[in-house]
Amino acid sequence: MNYEFLKKLIVPAESKIVMLIMDGLGGLPREAGGKTELETAHTPNLDALAARSALGFSSPAGTGIAVGSGPGHLAIFGFDPIQNEIGRGALEALGVDIDLRPEDVAARGNFCQVDESGILIDRRAGRLATPEAIRLAKILNTIKVEGVETLVEPIKEHRFAFVMRGEGLNPEIEDTDPLKEGVPLCAAKASSNASIHTAKLVNRYIEQARDLLKDEKAANMILLRGFDRLPSLPQYQDLFKLRAASIAVNGMYRGVSRLVGMQVLPVEGNRIEDEFSTLEEYWSQFDFFYIHIKQTDTHGEDGDFDRKVRIIEQVDSQIPRILDLHPDVILVTGDHSSPAILKSHSWHPVPAMVYSKYVREDNIAEFGERACARGSLGTLPATDFMPLLLANAGRIKKYGA
Amino acid sequence: MNYEFLKKLIVPAESKIVMLIMDGLGGLPREAGGKTELETAHTPNLDALAARSALGFSSPAGTGIAVGSGPGHLAIFGFDPIQNEIGRGALEALGVDIDLRPEDVAARGNFCQVDESGILIDRRAGRLATPEAIRLAKILNTIKVEGVETLVEPIKEHRFAFVMRGEGLNPEIEDTDPLKEGVPLCAAKASSNASIHTAKLVNRYIEQARDLLKDEKAANMILLRGFDRLPSLPQYQDLFKLRAASIAVNGMYRGVSRLVGMQVLPVEGNRIEDEFSTLEEYWSQFDFFYIHIKQTDTHGEDGDFDRKVRIIEQVDSQIPRILDLHPDVILVTGDHSSPAILKSHSWHPVPAMVYSKYVREDNIAEFGERACARGSLGTLPATDFMPLLLANAGRIKKYGA
């Protein structure tokens, strides 16, 4: 998407857009000639909507590329996920569902072992057992550094995500990890003037961590590396003139949607229906709603074909609640595919349908991979969907005379 | 293809990929409403494979562009054929099927006529008859220049391809062709320090050519122009972690495949079956096999619809030999279209199918242009196929979290 070009054409309107993202929606048949999860699911409401929609596929980051949910969401939100790479520290934080904010500084952390003179003996603290890491993370989370909030979240074994939140932080800080054993740890060193204050705060944190962990046997110290923050992106309000809201239960999706300027709405409860209650409650206050369903991906990654089918059916049962609000434009798709037979994210394009009063209907009364292959949208780069939704919403004026 | 991006995601795997290229595969019906060459051919094996594949088209260099086999192959091998232009000298050498190597220096040559004082009288030696050129080329091919091998290959009339092979050669040499008559020929002049040695060797060659041709009536001298060599491209081993092999009878295809780091395998005989015997023989030693079938293009260019059909049928009969090896991924397509009714390469997208255990099958049991138009791949840039094959082979890891 060429933002500068598009931004000049955006006009305000009264129309409302719903973007329903079933995470990992795309699938594969269990056996050759069979049906995918979406094709197997009994989805009368999605099928009826398909009959009034244009069908096709969304390609998150190009042919053959399987994406994580971070880049997958950036793409469907309209931003090139390769040009706007989310750095390792921020990615690690999003990956463990920390509700990361654009101003936060994030890093990847290790529990490690040093000797009495501070020389690094084991970068991984003997690949610390995960329950131990959880216990130690709780200890670290008692640390107070004046003027900022800090959080560590264990990942697996010796690894954890580290986040510092506060005003005026800057991530241009060198790793404290010397990358080899037998030498002292490095201090967090500012690599620019802008980060001198942040580096000081990080060092204060590390000193407290040393004190708190000093009597631990294996993991008596921490290492931090890959300091960064979320990429800075144009905001929906400014770029698209949209008051945009995000309805998601998991921190990662709340974080990524906040990144593009969506207001993250509260969801009471964590059932699928609860998200649609939030949609109804806030309907009058926003122009654009992103609704995220996590469990389609969870069961795809678990390899549980039948449960993924059932989640799709549950979402289908909520479609009338969307329609009752009379949105002008609806997109139903996923951020990537997660076929249960692969137990992972995959490169397969994601089934997608766009409904509006002005869409050129394909007259295909079915929402599924083979149906979408017959649709008129073809396989669109995911970044094309926002312009398409905005056009259908009467929010893009003619280019040229 | 963004190499830097893709390279970071490549992971090793045990899987095997077969890329079967029928040169000039795409066709057109003889009469309106009729069938193309591929649709006419009786291809039970390709049709059965299609039923288990994703179908679509490959577009070598964008809509409306007919490509030569050089750019067509660069594209299907994954490299932008417009950014990686093959220079005129190298193209001429590939065009007459010289098995050009990346280190070779190539040029376009003319037989020409000079007077006794060396003034150029006729740049084309009276458009020398081709049989005469063939006789003179044999004479030139007796020339020995110390430290290098040289080869000329007649093209048509006064034109020939010139190749110098050896270590440390550099093509930055100015034309010896003054481009007008009534003036002396230019010496081969180095246009950079790196090419001084090569220019000396070329001048030694030209002196010997002058001596050998001095008693000829019309064509008593040669001109060389457009010195260059093959573009330098990333190698499959380094870029894709693939041990890649090439099975092709003609020099041009051996040359282009060597350019991307494929090992060119010997083929005993020049029947289509012989190439598949090579595939079987070397199956255990490589991860990736490119197999090139020339005759589909030859008969397309000859305008011989029926013979092109029969070649496709012959290739079809060999498909079980591929399947018996149990490759993980198969691509069947062409480097460009060559409809018999056009007697030339054309701009039409090329029918393509991708088979793997993890492909989203289209359930279309036919390999042909109209069948491919219903396929889910749509029309992909030819450069997208390598990422797609690698993904299906489990050789690309997820991007981001």
Side-chain angles (χ1 to χ4, degrees):
Chain A
M1 183 170 54
N2 179 336
Y3 311 128
E4 292 311 311
F5 171 73
L6 192 59
K7 188 176 171 180
K8 281 186 241 168
L9 302 179
I10 297 291
V11 290
E14 294 297 305
S15 54
K16 287 184 190 281
I17 302 171
V18 173
M19 174 188 272
L20 173 59
I21 300 296
M22 286 185 257
D23 206 298
L25 176 63
L28 283 173
R30 267 188 280 217
E31 64 287 320
K35 291 181 172 184
T36 67
E37 297 89 321
L38 179 57
E39 290 169 343
T40 304
H42 176 63
T43 53
N45 296 302
L46 287 166
D47 293 348
L49 188 61
R52 300 156 62 194
S53 298
L55 273 62
F57 291 102
S58 164
S59 171
T63 304
I65 305 300
V67 295
S69 284
H73 271 82
L74 281 191
I76 199 72
F77 290 165
F79 302 96
D80 186 312
I82 298 171
Q83 277 175 27
N84 298 288
E85 192 173 354
I86 302 176
R88 297 307 303 258
L91 204 59
E92 205 88 301
L94 287 176
V96 289
D97 234 13
I98 293 175
D99 188 359
L100 200 65
R101 297 177 186 213
E103 68 276 15
D104 294 349
V105 164
R108 307 162 79 192
N110 273 21
F111 289 105
C112 64
Q113 189 180 16
V114 293
D115 70 14
E116 60 283 353
S117 59
I119 299 297
L120 184 59
I121 300 171
D122 188 336
R123 285 184 64 249
R124 300 184 181 85
R127 288 205 177 270
L128 192 68
T130 305
E132 267 295 278
I134 293 172
R135 180 179 67 82
L136 297 181
K138 278 187 191 142
I139 295 174
L140 292 183
N141 282 334
T142 64
I143 294 175
K144 303 277 176 227
V145 177
E146 208 185 310
V148 289
E149 291 171 55
T150 57
L151 174 68
V152 307
E153 184 70 35
I155 296 170
K156 196 187 166 189
E157 298 175 338
H158 56 283
R159 290 165 49 228
F160 60 83
F162 169 82
V163 173
M164 184 172 274
R165 176 168 297 169
E167 296 217 342
L169 296 180
N170 184 297
E172 290 162 354
I173 295 173
E174 293 177 17
D175 296 352
T176 73
D177 182 355
L179 291 173
K180 56 182 180 187
E181 287 150 5
V183 297
L185 300 190
C186 311
K189 198 176 144 196
S191 49
S192 78
N193 283 336
S195 57
I196 290 174
H197 178 64
T198 312
K200 251 182 222 164
L201 298 173
V202 170
N203 283 321
R204 274 182 214 154
Y205 182 91
I206 292 171
E207 278 159 38
Q208 291 194 50
R210 186 196 323 260
D211 286 346
L212 287 170
L213 301 178
K214 67 175 192 296
D215 296 326
E216 295 292 328
K217 224 173 147 181
N220 61 0
M221 188 47 182
I222 60 168
L223 289 174
L224 297 173
R225 64 185 189 285
F227 286 90
D228 54 37
R229 67 174 149 209
L230 290 171
S232 168
L233 290 171
Q235 303 293 291
Y236 267 34
Q237 175 72 53
D238 179 53
L239 183 59
F240 298 138
K241 296 196 174 76
L242 283 179
R243 295 172 302 161
S246 154
I247 302 173
V249 172
N250 298 72
M252 174 159 187
Y253 311 96
R254 298 163 71 91
V256 179
S257 59
R258 189 182 287 113
L259 191 58
V260 299
M262 293 188 201
Q263 184 171 326
V264 177
L265 301 181
V267 179
E268 302 266 342
N270 54 16
R271 297 169 313 157
I272 287 171
E273 306 88 280
D274 299 327
E275 298 191 48
F276 291 86
S277 300
T278 297
L279 177 72
E280 289 164 346
E281 187 181 342
Y282 287 86
W283 183 249
S284 63
Q285 299 179 39
F286 295 91
D287 309 310
F288 177 99
F289 293 86
Y290 152 67
I291 311 173
H292 178 260
I293 308 295
K294 177 64 187 167
Q295 297 93 317
T296 28
D297 180 57
T298 310
H299 296 310
E301 293 209 64
D302 288 348
D304 196 332
F305 190 101
D306 295 328
R307 276 188 140 164
K308 187 174 168 191
V309 168
R310 285 206 296 279
I311 296 294
I312 295 169
E313 291 174 345
Q314 273 185 55
V315 174
D316 183 77
S317 74
Q318 301 299 305
I319 298 296
R321 295 179 70 182
I322 301 179
L323 299 180
D324 286 349
L325 297 167
H326 303 292
D328 298 278
V329 185
I330 305 173
L331 167 66
V332 182
T333 187
D335 54 342
H336 56 77
S337 291
S338 284
I341 64 158
L342 286 177
K343 295 188 180 180
S344 69
H345 295 200
S346 81
W347 62 92
H348 300 87
V350 194
M353 65 173 162
V354 176
Y355 159 82
S356 93
K357 208 197 289 186
Y358 306 114
V359 88
R360 209 180 263 153
E361 305 166 355
D362 289 324
N363 297 331
I364 299 172
E366 188 195 339
F367 188 46
E369 283 81 353
R370 257 57 68 106
C372 287
R374 291 183 279 126
S376 60
L377 294 180
T379 298
L380 287 180
T383 50
D384 276 9
F385 280 91
M386 276 308 295
L388 185 58
L389 302 185
L390 291 163
N392 273 284
R395 290 175 174 268
I396 306 185
K397 70 177 177 186
K398 181 171 70 176
Y399 170 59
Chain B
M1 183 170 56
N2 178 338
Y3 310 129
E4 292 312 310
F5 171 73
L6 192 59
K7 189 176 170 179
K8 279 186 244 166
L9 301 179
I10 297 290
V11 289
E14 293 298 303
S15 53
K16 286 184 190 280
I17 302 171
V18 172
M19 174 188 274
L20 173 59
I21 300 296
M22 286 186 255
D23 206 299
L25 176 64
L28 283 172
R30 270 190 280 217
E31 60 282 311
K35 289 180 171 183
T36 67
E37 297 90 321
L38 179 57
E39 289 169 344
T40 303
H42 177 63
T43 53
N45 296 302
L46 287 166
D47 293 348
L49 188 61
R52 299 157 61 195
S53 298
L55 273 62
F57 290 102
S58 163
S59 171
T63 305
I65 306 301
V67 295
S69 285
H73 271 81
L74 282 191
I76 199 71
F77 290 164
F79 302 96
D80 186 312
I82 298 171
Q83 276 176 27
N84 298 287
E85 192 173 352
I86 302 177
R88 298 307 302 258
L91 204 58
E92 206 88 302
L94 288 176
V96 289
D97 235 11
I98 293 175
D99 188 359
L100 200 65
R101 295 174 187 218
E103 66 276 16
D104 295 348
V105 164
R108 307 163 79 192
N110 272 20
F111 289 107
C112 65
Q113 190 179 17
V114 294
D115 70 14
E116 59 286 351
S117 59
I119 300 296
L120 183 60
I121 299 170
D122 187 338
R123 285 183 64 249
R124 300 184 180 86
R127 286 205 179 271
L128 192 67
T130 305
E132 268 294 279
I134 293 172
R135 181 179 64 81
L136 297 181
K138 279 187 191 142
I139 296 174
L140 291 183
N141 282 335
T142 64
I143 294 176
K144 304 276 177 228
V145 177
E146 208 184 309
V148 290
E149 290 172 57
T150 57
L151 174 69
V152 306
E153 185 69 36
I155 296 170
K156 196 185 167 189
E157 298 174 340
H158 56 283
R159 289 166 50 227
F160 61 84
F162 169 82
V163 173
M164 184 171 275
R165 176 169 297 170
E167 297 214 345
L169 297 180
N170 184 295
E172 290 163 353
I173 295 172
E174 293 177 17
D175 296 351
T176 75
D177 181 355
L179 291 173
K180 57 182 178 186
E181 288 150 4
V183 297
L185 302 190
C186 311
K189 199 176 142 194
S191 50
S192 78
N193 283 337
S195 58
I196 290 173
H197 177 64
T198 312
K200 252 184 220 161
L201 298 172
V202 170
N203 283 320
R204 274 181 215 155
Y205 183 91
I206 292 171
E207 279 158 35
Q208 290 194 51
R210 188 198 320 263
D211 286 347
L212 286 169
L213 299 178
K214 69 174 188 299
D215 297 327
E216 295 292 329
K217 224 173 142 183
N220 61 1
M221 189 48 185
I222 61 167
L223 288 175
L224 297 173
R225 65 184 188 286
F227 286 92
D228 54 38
R229 66 173 149 209
L230 290 171
S232 168
L233 290 173
Q235 304 292 291
Y236 267 34
Q237 175 73 52
D238 179 53
L239 183 59
F240 298 139
K241 295 197 174 77
L242 283 179
R243 296 172 302 161
S246 153
I247 302 175
V249 172
N250 299 72
M252 173 157 187
Y253 311 95
R254 298 163 71 90
V256 179
S257 58
R258 190 181 287 113
L259 190 59
V260 299
M262 294 188 200
Q263 184 171 326
V264 177
L265 301 182
V267 179
E268 302 263 344
N270 54 17
R271 296 169 313 157
I272 286 171
E273 305 88 281
D274 300 326
E275 299 192 48
F276 291 87
S277 300
T278 297
L279 177 70
E280 289 163 347
E281 188 181 342
Y282 288 86
W283 184 249
S284 64
Q285 299 180 37
F286 296 90
D287 310 309
F288 177 97
F289 292 87
Y290 151 68
I291 311 174
H292 178 260
I293 308 296
K294 176 63 187 168
Q295 297 93 316
T296 27
D297 180 56
T298 311
H299 297 310
E301 292 208 65
D302 288 348
D304 195 333
F305 190 102
D306 295 329
R307 277 187 137 167
K308 187 173 167 190
V309 168
R310 285 205 297 279
I311 296 294
I312 295 168
E313 291 175 345
Q314 273 186 54
V315 174
D316 183 78
S317 73
Q318 302 299 305
I319 297 297
R321 295 179 70 184
I322 301 180
L323 298 181
D324 286 347
L325 297 167
H326 303 292
D328 298 278
V329 186
I330 305 173
L331 167 66
V332 183
T333 188
D335 53 343
H336 55 78
S337 292
S338 283
I341 65 158
L342 287 176
K343 295 189 180 180
S344 69
H345 294 200
S346 80
W347 62 93
H348 302 85
V350 193
M353 64 174 162
V354 176
Y355 159 82
S356 95
K357 208 197 288 187
Y358 305 115
V359 88
R360 210 181 260 156
E361 307 164 354
D362 289 323
N363 296 335
I364 299 173
E366 189 194 338
F367 188 46
E369 282 81 351
R370 256 59 67 107
C372 287
R374 290 182 280 127
S376 60
L377 294 181
T379 298
L380 287 181
T383 48
D384 275 9
F385 280 90
M386 278 306 298
L388 185 57
L389 302 185
L390 291 163
N392 274 283
R395 289 174 174 269
I396 306 184
K397 69 176 179 187
K398 183 170 71 174
Y399 170 60

